Amino acid sequence: MKTKDIMLSAIQPTSYPHLGNYLGAVKNWVKLQDQYRSYCFIVDLHAITVPQTPENLSLNTLNAAAFNLAAGLNPKEVTLFIQSHVKEHAELAWILNCFTYFGELGRMTQFKDKSSKSGENIGAGLFTYPILMASDILLYDTKIVPVGEDQRQHVELTRNIATRFNHRFEKEIFIIPEPRIQGSGARIMDLQDPTSKMSKSAQNDKGVVFMNDSAKEMEKKIKGAVTDSGSEIVYTPDKPGIKNLIDIQVAITQKSIQEIVDHYQGKMYGHLKVDTAKLVMEEAMPIQEKAGQLLKDKDTLIDILHDGAERARNHARETLDRVYSTIGFVPGKGR
Ligand code: ATP
Ligand code: LTN
């Protein structure tokens, strides 16, 4: 019997997950978990590329873990862990630093966006961050990386680094991963500025539906979504606010765009907003409740994460040993 391919994904503990994270990423991991051998982790090493307070970082890390489980990740099937618990991520990142070009990193749009918002002191970590992401992916012989559209470029870079390494040593040390980007939900936009993606680091919370917002807050944000001054409900790029609400509905209901557009023939923007708010609340509230319960029993949650880290470490160590011997490092004691 063919063993299952490996799927891997991750989320940053920079705030509570938002609707974009859920519809663009987490919902797909849950959907795909039975088809693949899966690794899913909370990337705290990535989160510190921008300043974090210690209290928020640890709170957001456990919140993200509970959220993933509440959304349906099965910890028996999926290896769920915290990135800093598996030190091999940082170790491989150094090696890959030596196989990545400065120019490649400078072309990353996420770096350009974030550094332009960071003022004068831009951490080097923000620049080299995609190398840590490449290390996350390559450590586990990953085939499939389900992410939102914003991460396509980072997965492409990972492919380039892996191919370069394999060519340099004339061996297939790394599997070349593929991004898996779902159509609807792949890029949920900010409700106040539908030309920018919904983001944890948005300046204004009004455009971001956090998955732990109260039903009232969600409703207020969605009803207050910026739309144009027209009235016809059509799916086109020049009506980004309306398009975004339709995308949210498609991602939740799995209906086609056409079906939803047809349903709103002759109806007003207000109808679309009220229905979208209702769908989001119905999807989010049960997850919220479940996440709340999981967080009440922190010991069990932490046990799941420790157990995941141990399984992850075994795989990661094997890959790293293969890389070290390929490079020509003399084996240390016990290795
Ligand atoms: P930030 O924007 O502050 O960097 P983020 O909101 O992108 O953070 P991450 O934790 O880095 O959040 O992303 C986790 C997953 O969610 C990734 O797979 C990413 O592609 C996906 N994702 C993030 N934002 C969106 C969005 N607006 N629409 C769809 N998917 C998204
Ligand atoms: N860079 C991603 C988070 C991330 C990730 C990964 C996603 C870190 N490592 C590995 C998929 C696979 C982000 O900013 N959304």
Side-chain angles (χ1 to χ4, degrees), residues 8-10 12 43 46 110 129 133 136-137 145 147 151:
L8 172 143
S9 225
Q12 297 199 60
V43 286
H46 278 89
Q110 195 175 51
Y129 154 117
M133 177 161 163
D136 293 343
I137 296 171
V145 191
V147 281
Q151 296 302 313

Side-chain angles (χ1 to χ4, degrees), residues 9-12 14 18 20-21 23-25 29 110 114 129 146-151 185-189 197-201:
S9 225
I11 188 160
Q12 297 199 60
T14 38
H18 54 70
N21 300 139
L23 295 179
W29 310 345
Q110 195 175 51
K114 289 201 176 175
Y129 154 117
V147 281
E149 184 62 47
D150 61 315
Q151 296 302 313
R187 200 169 160 76
I188 300 299
M189 308 309 271
K197 76 156 193 147
M198 191 175 280
S199 164
K200 295 202 183 92
S201 40

